[in-house]
Amino acid sequence: MERGRSRHPLWDRDSDTWFCLHCNGKITGVQIAQNLWHCPACGASPVDIFDTAFWCEDEGKSLPPIGAKGKSNSSKPDFQVVDDRPKLELSERNIVLLMRSALLDDSTDVSERLGALLAEITVDEDNDVWISLEEDLWPDHKEPTQAIKVAAQLGIEIELETMRSKIPFHWPGLGELTSSTTEYTQMLLDAYAQYAAPSDSKS
Ligand SMILES: [Zn+2]
């Protein structure tokens, strides 16, 4: 076949110029072959592509080439356009974020909320997730049901374990008495005040 010519897969005809019945586009042989015989301008299927615009009086001589409209001017066919539709990216960071957010949903008091914030969440190469919850902050009988549900929504496995690490404040039980951080902070201040050095408490 001559350079620039292409053969229609249905009509078994060669041409260097093709016409789209759907949008009246005039298409080069290279353009139509690169676009798998779909019109690069309007996406019409191969049954709408002909080597003569038999529906025009001049058989398409006066029809503008599709490249003239600008969009299909490049040598790259349209189907290679980058797909930039929004997709849920299940990166390690995003999984950890969603799991920690779910743990916060599961938290009913300040202690559990601190446990959720300090939980060690790791994601393995299969996107399965390990959650280590601090035993002084998260009750060991308590299932994080929201976290388990979110894992199921994402189609990932979840493993739970307890850990014992250095907790940030003394008397972890104080955090179980309230769900308000201001109340908790006041309790902490009062409790620590009882242990103030004698020189601090002299008036
Ligand atoms: Zn077309």
Side-chain angles (χ1 to χ4, degrees), residues 1-76:
M1 214 180 304
E2 263 179 68
R3 194 176 166 78
R5 294 176 73 84
S6 52
R7 177 168 297 162
H8 195 291
L10 301 175
W11 318 144
D12 200 24
R13 304 194 46 162
D14 295 354
S15 180
D16 58 1
T17 309
W18 297 86
F19 300 92
C20 175
L21 175 62
H22 198 74
C23 71
N24 280 336
K26 185 191 278 183
I27 309 158
T28 71
V30 173
Q31 284 173 324
I32 197 70
Q34 281 181 335
N35 212 29
L36 303 177
W37 291 92
H38 288 71
C39 173
C42 77
S45 68
V47 295
D48 284 338
I49 307 297
F50 298 90
D51 60 347
T52 337
F54 55 82
W55 57 92
C56 296
E57 278 188 288
D58 64 356
E59 296 197 326
K61 289 186 185 67
S62 62
L63 291 178
I66 56 161
K69 288 171 194 158
K71 187 170 177 276
S72 300
N73 221 350
S74 82
S75 60
K76 284 191 179 167

Side-chain angles (χ1 to χ4, degrees), residues 25 38 60 68 71 83 88 103 124 127-128 139-140 145 159 165 180 186 197 200:
H38 288 71
K71 187 170 177 276
D83 181 0
L88 177 58
L103 286 175
D124 70 13
N127 272 359
D128 295 334
D140 48 288
T145 54
E159 294 282 347
S165 56
S180 152
Q186 193 56 54
D200 294 344

Side-chain angles (χ1 to χ4, degrees), residues 134 138 150-151 154 157-158 185 202:
E134 167 56 48
W138 193 273
V150 169
L154 298 176
E157 301 279 334
I158 181 172
T185 305
K202 272 184 190 157

